[in-house]
Amino acid sequence: MSFDWQKILESKRALRRDLAARPIGEKLRLLDALRERELAIRGRAVHPRSSVLREEPPPYRTKTK
Amino acid sequence: MDVKKVITVINQMQADGVIERYAVGGAVGATFYLEPIATLDVDIFVTFESAPGSLIASPQRIYDYLTARGGTIEREYIVIAGWPVQFLPPTGLLVAEALQESVVKDVDGTPACVLTAEHLAALALQTGRAKDKARLLQFVESGVLDAVRFQAILARHGLLEAWQKFERQFLHDPP
């Protein structure tokens, strides 16, 4: 373990590269697990929606140039 | 919860003639090129024929097909294998081109049609929410984009100015 910021950043980049290079089947299984975890976390959230700042315009534009 | 099962079901729906062409987009599509990106839904870009006698393409056949096979409708989604799936028709020229030029990837023996990395990045730039910009940055940093191909897409769809702005914001060191 290191507290050198450059080493920490490089370690994070290496982890991302490692995850990206995994077989797609494995990455899709990780997506399943991530979604389950996110749903569990959202289920425990107690803040009222009105106090949450959200950015949700339509996901894909219909306008073309 | 099984996103691979979602792809299998959509392949079968295509084989049964309900849809013509499809491609996985959004965060699930990006995961084919990057590290897994947490998401709550699956975006499927799709083309389908209009119903006989109608000029308007309707997703009704998709809904009928999937609900007959256990899918459930929740708002604009249909839930397949535990995943909310949104079917998106090509609403603009960029999406239409992205769908046309999608590629087939192998998922443990199952074919999956996926948007190219360059089109996913261009769509992220065009959509332009904070999370889209973050994803675009991931594409750039990962080095998976073919720069020539990406620039050509941006030029064809009037996105060069938006790209230059993105570059100034996120890719150039501050003075």
Side-chain angles (χ1 to χ4, degrees):
Chain A
M1 188 164 180
S2 167
F3 292 108
D4 180 326
W5 190 240
Q6 287 307 319
K7 281 186 182 171
I8 291 168
L9 287 178
E10 181 47 45
S11 163
K12 284 177 183 287
R13 278 194 288 269
L15 176 62
R16 287 176 59 189
R17 278 197 300 269
D18 171 61
L19 285 168
R22 291 188 189 189
I24 186 60
E26 186 181 341
K27 290 201 284 183
L28 293 185
R29 285 189 289 279
L30 283 169
L31 275 192
D32 292 329
L34 284 170
R35 180 166 182 268
E36 280 184 23
R37 190 180 300 177
E38 183 150 349
L39 287 176
I41 292 167
R42 286 188 180 214
R44 288 178 193 148
V46 292
H47 49 252
R49 289 177 69 87
S50 59
S51 68
V52 179
L53 183 63
R54 291 167 61 89
E55 184 202 31
E56 281 297 328
Y60 296 98
R61 290 184 188 174
T62 55
K63 185 180 161 189
T64 57
K65 288 190 177 178
Chain B
M1 201 168 293
D2 185 349
V3 74
K4 187 184 166 194
K5 178 81 190 302
V6 173
I7 292 166
T8 304
V9 169
I10 293 169
N11 282 337
Q12 189 57 52
M13 185 165 68
Q14 186 184 35
D16 290 341
V18 177
I19 54 173
E20 293 170 356
R21 194 180 182 97
Y22 84 88
V24 184
V28 179
T31 295
F32 280 76
Y33 304 96
L34 305 170
E35 70 269 30
I37 299 168
T39 183
L40 291 173
D41 60 8
V42 184
D43 289 340
I44 302 291
F45 292 94
V46 66
T47 55
F48 42 85
E49 287 180 358
S50 311
S54 170
L55 292 175
I56 301 168
S58 162
Q60 192 58 48
R61 280 189 74 200
I62 296 176
Y63 291 160
D64 291 346
Y65 179 93
L66 293 172
T67 51
R69 287 158 181 79
T72 53
I73 293 174
E74 286 183 13
R75 294 176 295 132
E76 68 271 34
Y77 296 100
I78 184 152
V79 179
I80 308 168
W83 276 89
V85 181
Q86 190 163 32
F87 291 94
L88 301 154
T91 50
L93 295 176
L94 176 57
V95 177
E97 179 186 278
L99 193 49
Q100 194 62 36
E101 296 183 10
S102 59
V103 290
V104 178
K105 303 270 184 184
D106 179 80
V107 183
D108 298 339
T110 299
C113 299
V114 188
L115 299 185
T116 66
E118 292 79 18
H119 277 111
L120 284 163
L123 281 166
L125 179 67
Q126 188 183 64
T127 308
R129 295 167 297 184
K131 68 177 183 179
D132 298 304
K133 289 176 181 169
R135 191 177 302 158
L136 179 52
L137 205 49
Q138 283 177 276
F139 271 113
V140 173
E141 288 179 347
S142 68
V144 296
L145 295 178
D146 178 323
V148 174
R149 187 172 150 75
F150 182 56
Q151 287 288 330
I153 292 169
L154 298 182
R156 272 200 301 280
H157 297 282
L159 290 167
L160 286 173
E161 197 177 317
W163 173 247
Q164 284 159 5
K165 187 177 173 190
F166 180 86
E167 277 188 310
R168 281 195 302 275
Q169 261 187 306
F170 299 105
L171 301 177
H172 289 169
D173 289 330

